[in-house]
Amino acid sequence: MELKTHISVKNLSIWYGQQQALNNISIDIPDKKITAVIGPSGCGKTTFLKSLNRLIDLQDKIKVSGRVLVDGENIFDPKVEVTHLRKKMGLLSQKPQVLPMSIYDNVAYGLRIYGVKDKKKLNETVQHYLQESSLWNEVKDRLNTSAFKLSIGQQQRLCLARGLAIEPEIILCDEPTSALDPSSSERIEKKLIELRREYTIVIVTHNIQQAMKLADYVIFLYNGIVIEADAADEIFKKPRELLTQAYLKGEFLDEIWVQKEAHLGRKIGDGEGI
């Protein structure tokens, strides 16, 4: 079955100063599916994720070439309103980024920024998205207490509620369970599986078991190159590339990488990758 594309990346390259982080990436991310971006540390996963909502703009000496199309619009076009773009995307970071305010105000924060003032509307929306994030029953009697009094796992679910409250189309997750205990991790994972019915989800993860549990589609990055991208079943059961096979087995990749470069007679990434 052909999947509908929500995000289309075309020849994307990114440099931090002289250091190239992503090289000529072209990939389509399907709509209302979970796409897992996997690969070893330093391979460009987080840079790729941050390119999707232009959070890389916050870094110094960034250079970008290529295009990222969201709903057909190139987000790197100078005419694009970044605030409007980011409203389309909820972000769940590696560590919970709760705001120094109450539980209620954390969820209502984005709504107020975008002009919602009606108290009844705010109350209904806060309750709805706390329920959506499986947090309402735990906090409904203390909505006016500080968000910092929540456990780390609860804080992460609060961040999810805050992100969903502005009604994005896409949820970006950067190692969203790495700081959590197993029980809290499982809650987040179950919620993401439910949410993919309504949202396009892109998750960066080092955890292969998590990717196998969650992903419909997988992108394997190494040294800023897309080595392989396919349906999750294809990647995990019969990967085509030796680098993918080695990574999934927990083997060292450097030797295979060097052999690949030698076979091509140049450094991988100097052209269109593999």
Side-chain angles (χ1 to χ4, degrees), residues 62-77:
I62 280 285
K63 178 185 173 184
V64 177
S65 68
R67 296 180 296 157
V68 175
L69 305 177
V70 177
D71 298 324
E73 179 182 38
N74 178 21
I75 68 171
F76 287 105
D77 189 307

Side-chain angles (χ1 to χ4, degrees), residues 91-103 106-107 130 133-135 138-139 142 145-163 176 179-181 184 187-188:
L91 177 65
L92 205 56
S93 301
Q94 193 169 23
K95 294 181 181 179
Q97 303 291 324
V98 297
L99 303 173
M101 54 186 67
S102 70
I103 294 167
N106 262 268
V107 183
L130 285 171
S133 303
S134 303
L135 189 57
E138 297 167 46
V139 302
R142 49 178 174 143
T145 61
S146 170
F148 292 121
K149 292 185 178 180
L150 297 175
S151 71
I152 295 297
Q154 289 173 324
Q155 288 183 18
Q156 191 69 308
R157 281 182 281 146
L158 179 64
C159 291
L160 179 59
R162 187 179 69 216
L180 307 183
D181 62 82
S184 296
R187 283 174 178 262
I188 291 289

Side-chain angles (χ1 to χ4, degrees), residues 27-273:
I27 199 80
D28 289 334
I29 294 174
D31 184 43
K32 292 184 174 58
K33 301 290 181 182
I34 298 179
T35 295
V37 185
I38 63 172
S41 296
C43 71
K45 300 188 301 295
T46 295
T47 296
F48 177 72
L49 192 75
K50 288 182 176 180
S51 74
L52 301 181
N53 67 351
R54 286 187 50 179
L55 273 180
I56 56 168
D57 291 8
L58 303 177
Q59 301 287 328
D60 292 331
K61 299 180 180 179
I62 280 285
K63 178 185 173 184
V64 177
S65 68
R67 296 180 296 157
V68 175
L69 305 177
V70 177
D71 298 324
E73 179 182 38
N74 178 21
I75 68 171
F76 287 105
D77 189 307
K79 298 177 182 177
V80 166
E81 173 55 56
V82 177
T83 303
H84 171 71
L85 166 69
R86 290 179 184 157
K87 188 179 184 298
K88 289 186 175 186
M89 304 196 187
L91 177 65
L92 205 56
S93 301
Q94 193 169 23
K95 294 181 181 179
Q97 303 291 324
V98 297
L99 303 173
M101 54 186 67
S102 70
I103 294 167
Y104 181 99
D105 287 337
N106 262 268
V107 183
Y109 181 77
L111 295 165
R112 287 171 172 151
I113 285 179
Y114 291 108
V116 179
K117 296 179 181 179
D118 181 79
K119 186 65 175 177
K120 182 180 179 182
K121 172 69 173 176
L122 287 170
N123 289 344
E124 291 174 348
T125 305
V126 167
Q127 178 174 342
H128 175 73
Y129 286 107
L130 285 171
Q131 290 171 331
E132 276 286 278
S133 303
S134 303
L135 189 57
W136 173 252
N137 289 335
E138 297 167 46
V139 302
K140 62 184 178 181
D141 297 323
R142 49 178 174 143
L143 293 176
N144 293 319
T145 61
S146 170
F148 292 121
K149 292 185 178 180
L150 297 175
S151 71
I152 295 297
Q154 289 173 324
Q155 288 183 18
Q156 191 69 308
R157 281 182 281 146
L158 179 64
C159 291
L160 179 59
R162 187 179 69 216
L164 294 177
I166 61 171
E167 299 183 343
E169 299 174 4
I170 298 162
I171 303 172
L172 306 178
C173 305
D174 188 6
E175 296 282 351
T177 64
S178 63
L180 307 183
D181 62 82
S183 177
S184 296
S185 296
E186 186 174 2
R187 283 174 178 262
I188 291 289
E189 290 170 351
K190 285 182 177 180
K191 183 50 61 177
L192 291 175
I193 289 172
E194 293 175 17
L195 291 172
R196 70 177 163 192
R197 291 174 298 189
E198 300 179 46
Y199 301 91
T200 297
I201 300 174
V202 184
I203 179 171
V204 162
T205 180
H206 285 95
N207 188 325
I208 297 300
Q209 285 70 37
Q210 183 176 73
M212 293 176 73
K213 185 189 302 185
L214 298 181
D216 302 293
Y217 192 77
V218 175
I219 301 169
F220 173 47
L221 281 178
Y222 186 65
N223 282 4
I225 304 288
V226 173
I227 302 301
E228 191 166 355
D230 209 335
D233 282 350
E234 295 295 321
I235 293 286
F236 293 127
K237 293 180 180 178
K238 44 185 177 181
R240 300 184 304 275
E241 296 290 338
L242 289 177
L243 278 163
T244 314
Q245 295 168 21
Y247 178 72
L248 294 176
K249 292 176 183 176
E251 298 174 354
F252 290 108
L253 306 184
D254 289 350
E255 185 176 343
I256 298 172
W257 181 258
V258 170
Q259 290 173 354
K260 191 79 175 179
E261 288 181 335
H263 175 70
L264 293 176
R266 56 169 170 76
K267 283 192 173 183
I268 297 175
D270 287 347
E272 297 186 356

Side-chain angles (χ1 to χ4, degrees), residues 13-22 61-65:
S13 295
I14 294 176
W15 293 261
Y16 296 105
Q18 298 299 314
Q19 182 179 358
Q20 188 164 11
L22 297 179
K61 299 180 180 179
I62 280 285
K63 178 185 173 184
V64 177
S65 68

